[in-house]
Amino acid sequence: MQWEVIIGLEVHTQLLTKSKIFSGASTAYGATPNSQACLVDLAFPGVLPVLNKTAVEMALKFGLAVHAEINPYSTFERKQYFYPDLPKGYQISQYQTPIVGKGYLDIELDNGQTKRVGITRAHLEEDAGKSLHDAIPHMSGIDLNRAGTPLLEIVSEPDLRSAEEAVAYLKTLHALVTYLGICDGNMQEGSFRCDANVSIRPVGQKEFGTRAEIKNVNSFRYVEKAINYEIERQKEVLESGGIIVQETRLYDASTNTTRSMRSKEAANDYRYFPDPDLLTLYVSESMMAAASQSMPELPWEKAARFQSDYQLSAYDAKVLTAERGLADYFETVVKLSQAAPKLVANWVMGDLAAFLNKNNLSIEASPISGERLAGLIARIQDNTISGKMAKTVFEAMCESNDTADHIIEARGLKQMTDSSALEKVIEEVMTANPQQLNDYRAGKDKLFAFFVGQVMKATKGQANPQQLNELLLAKLKSNN
Amino acid sequence: MSFDIPKVAYLARIAMSEEEIAAVKPKLENVMAMIDDLVKIDTTNVAPLASPLEQYQTLREDVVTETDQHVTYQKLAPKVAADLYLVPQVIE
């Protein structure tokens, strides 16, 4: 049977506030357990939550970026369940009326097509603490530092039709929230977490099939694998006459399987009701105006500008704008080197990216600053060194903190720019190789490379390749 | 409106004996009877009420105002180790 895959994603993004959503405790990652859990986070009797203004502003920025309806009046509800890392016995969330309503996000697929994915809603809520099951034998340890960290839960429409589309959506969303500066996007630390709702239905059927929710996927690669595993599992169950149970499944990266975690509690078991400790949130026109004014250039806007301002291809522009830090780095190098943007793009996406990947470094942690790379590229642009020499200089730059100029000087890597000197070397090479010269002139074009090699050898690689090609061709063609 | 006491007791994690259930049943049914009257009112064009107060949420500036007090707070906890609050093992 032909099946159609239906995927909707719920993404929890930790908002980059300094303090928690309802208390003045710090949200910094990696502190001593429980050192950042205050009385409000610990749910002591008599404490009251007070909403963080910056969390609201961040939600508004997201709403504007996805062209969403902003609800001027939104409410907070209690979502009730019992778990040790949830001290109050309920999570404060938004249910009836979220701050951000319907919007959309355009994603670009691998085949170059654009797909519009609906955003159902995005709401503010608090994160739970962390349970550590391995720290102490036979006990669970509870760290409440994360309890009360602001989250924006972004819910997509079930518009995605494959694991690849789901990943493309997540990457676009990831770039967006990091550009907006509302989330650091660190998936390892859990700042950007994804739950995937997956179901399948026979092609042509209108009703959705029963869905399973996959939790615990903390990288783009695992999202793809987990969804693909789940699709195959559901096909097998349905094709062998079984039924899919609505449940939560946990992805296990070590076995690349999903397993049942618990059957999904019916929505009303959470017994949502308005939190009497919190009043209606009102978003005034002045708050909306302030959010509009604080909007940065968005990834897709930047990509379009890179194509028009720097004459880059759509592909180059997309790669360079995937991360705000990378885009900023590229623009710094272009500005400082005054070189052709395409040359800069090739270096940033090529040698630099390879070096950073190999050493598992982010662009922000690059030991080669934009200024140093610009120093190197400027010397290629002004013909002091060839592209090949530049690779040698680049390698040396990776090993030290020296500038390109310093390395070029110290190693005597300067390119010959004097054309009469180069012509002289070419003539010497031609005289020294009469047989090859005759063969070339008799039609053996391949020997051109031989002469290039000989001249490069004679000049210790310092001939400008382009200049050499031009001069050599002229000399070989003329019969004097 | 009926009221499934064992289910609600389970959701609230309250252990109740048959006798206790029998004892609270008429009281809760009285409350439900009142709600039965309330739901007869036509609320088609009435927006749900989030709060009876005609005021809006006060917002706090995003400033860290709390200091580390976990040693003091943990004096109240039954079990603590390695700065963690300890509970009977829970694994899903």
Side-chain angles (χ1 to χ4, degrees), chain A residues 22-40:
Chain A
F22 296 120
S23 83
S26 169
T27 55
Y29 182 84
T32 302
N34 293 304
S35 63
Q36 293 170 176
C38 71
L39 294 174
V40 173

Side-chain angles (χ1 to χ4, degrees), chain A residues 19-87:
Chain A
S19 67
K20 295 194 175 168
I21 185 167
F22 296 120
S23 83
S26 169
T27 55
Y29 182 84
T32 302
N34 293 304
S35 63
Q36 293 170 176
C38 71
L39 294 174
V40 173
D41 310 322
L42 295 171
F44 268 57
V47 298
L48 285 171
V50 188
L51 185 57
N52 187 329
K53 187 179 169 191
T54 302
V56 174
E57 290 166 349
M58 288 177 167
L60 293 178
K61 280 169 87 169
F62 176 78
L64 288 171
V66 297
H67 321 277
E69 301 158 11
I70 304 290
N71 286 313
Y73 301 96
S74 65
T75 51
F76 287 90
E77 274 90 358
R78 293 181 177 183
K79 176 181 180 177
Q80 311 187 76
Y81 64 94
F82 287 99
Y83 207 72
D85 57 25
L86 186 75

Side-chain angles (χ1 to χ4, degrees), chain A residues 33-34 42 83-87 130-144, chain B residues 70 73-90:
Chain A
N34 293 304
L42 295 171
Y83 207 72
D85 57 25
L86 186 75
K130 268 184 192 163
S131 302
L132 300 146
H133 303 297
D134 307 318
I136 314 286
H138 313 300
M139 303 289 279
S140 289
I142 310 295
D143 176 7
L144 295 170
Chain B
H70 79 284
Y73 300 155
Q74 291 192 334
K75 283 181 185 159
L76 288 166
K79 269 192 180 157
V80 173
D83 304 304
L84 299 166
Y85 293 93
L86 296 189
V87 298
Q89 191 150 48
V90 271

Side-chain angles (χ1 to χ4, degrees), chain A residues 87-106:
Chain A
K88 292 193 296 295
Y90 58 85
Q91 176 195 31
I92 303 176
S93 181
Q94 294 196 295
Y95 185 64
Q96 193 93 26
T97 320
I99 181 164
V100 177
K102 272 188 187 305
Y104 64 84
L105 188 63
D106 287 336

